[in-house]
Amino acid sequence: MTSTASKSLAPTKLDYTLGVLALTILAAALTALFRGLDEWHQLPPRLWFHIITVTLATALTPIMLWRKRGDKSHRVLGYIWVFCMVSTALVSFTLRFINDGKFSLIHLLSILTLAVSWKLVAKARAHKALEHRREVRGIVTGALLVAGFFTFPFDRLMGRWLQGMAVFN
């Protein structure tokens, strides 16, 4: 591998920024979860599965963006990350608490996550590192950061918990 190819795989300012934003979303989510502790028993198992898989993916994001790429550990962690993202997207179709039980706009991100997850694995397996990186950055931005942001406002569970408000009375 030439020094140019090696350098192209090194984390960039964008990677560091996305990682910091993922840590910010993770901190907000963990704070919300801690504040909602008294109501945990009222959540259905499928929602817990969703919370756990997206939290794990969010925690792995800065690790994956900032660490050495292309080695066996990167591949293993990458498959775990993709499993979490795909699982989160799939279970989201069973979560329709807003919009009177209908699918909402957030479910479009779930469809996009499924498509992009397949593409980023295919690009990695084909050793198309720069294309793989572009797909990863896109899914991190859309499915983790944008979708993550929208879990907090609009009187949603995590938003209420983050503000220290009870959801179930």
Side-chain angles (χ1 to χ4, degrees), residues 26-92:
L26 180 63
L30 293 175
T31 300
L33 286 168
F34 178 75
R35 288 183 174 171
L37 181 67
D38 292 339
E39 297 181 340
W40 283 10
H41 67 282
Q42 297 182 52
L43 300 184
R46 68 186 191 278
L47 182 54
W48 272 116
F49 182 78
H50 183 75
I51 291 168
I52 290 166
T53 55
V54 76
T55 301
L56 181 56
T58 306
L60 284 173
T61 295
I63 295 167
M64 295 300 294
L65 291 173
W66 299 345
R67 70 176 306 284
K68 180 182 175 196
R69 292 162 174 148
D71 61 5
K72 185 176 180 178
S73 297
H74 181 82
R75 285 189 296 277
V76 169
L77 289 173
Y79 278 116
I80 293 168
W81 188 87
V82 168
F83 170 82
C84 289
M85 293 297 293
V86 167
S87 297
T88 299
L90 289 173
V91 80
S92 77

Side-chain angles (χ1 to χ4, degrees), residues 147-167:
F149 172 79
F150 282 105
T151 62
F152 297 107
F154 310 118
D155 204 29
R156 297 187 68 190
L157 174 76
M158 295 296 274
R160 302 237 350 167
W161 281 355
L162 185 61
Q163 297 169 31
M165 300 165 63
V167 175

Side-chain angles (χ1 to χ4, degrees), residues 83-156:
F83 170 82
C84 289
M85 293 297 293
V86 167
S87 297
T88 299
L90 289 173
V91 80
S92 77
F93 295 114
T94 71
L95 304 173
R96 297 188 302 262
F97 302 120
I98 57 175
N99 212 22
D100 294 322
K102 298 175 186 153
F103 291 111
S104 65
L105 290 176
I106 200 83
H107 290 101
L108 292 175
L109 279 176
S110 295
I111 293 168
L112 188 61
T113 297
L114 295 174
V116 173
S117 294
W118 177 84
K119 283 177 59 180
L120 72 87
V121 169
K123 299 294 183 188
R125 292 179 58 91
H127 303 285
K128 295 182 177 180
L130 296 178
E131 293 175 40
H132 169 75
R133 176 185 271 185
R134 185 175 57 243
E135 300 294 344
V136 168
R137 288 173 174 168
I139 197 171
V140 166
T141 301
L144 280 181
L145 300 179
V146 172
F149 172 79
F150 282 105
T151 62
F152 297 107
F154 310 118
D155 204 29
R156 297 187 68 190

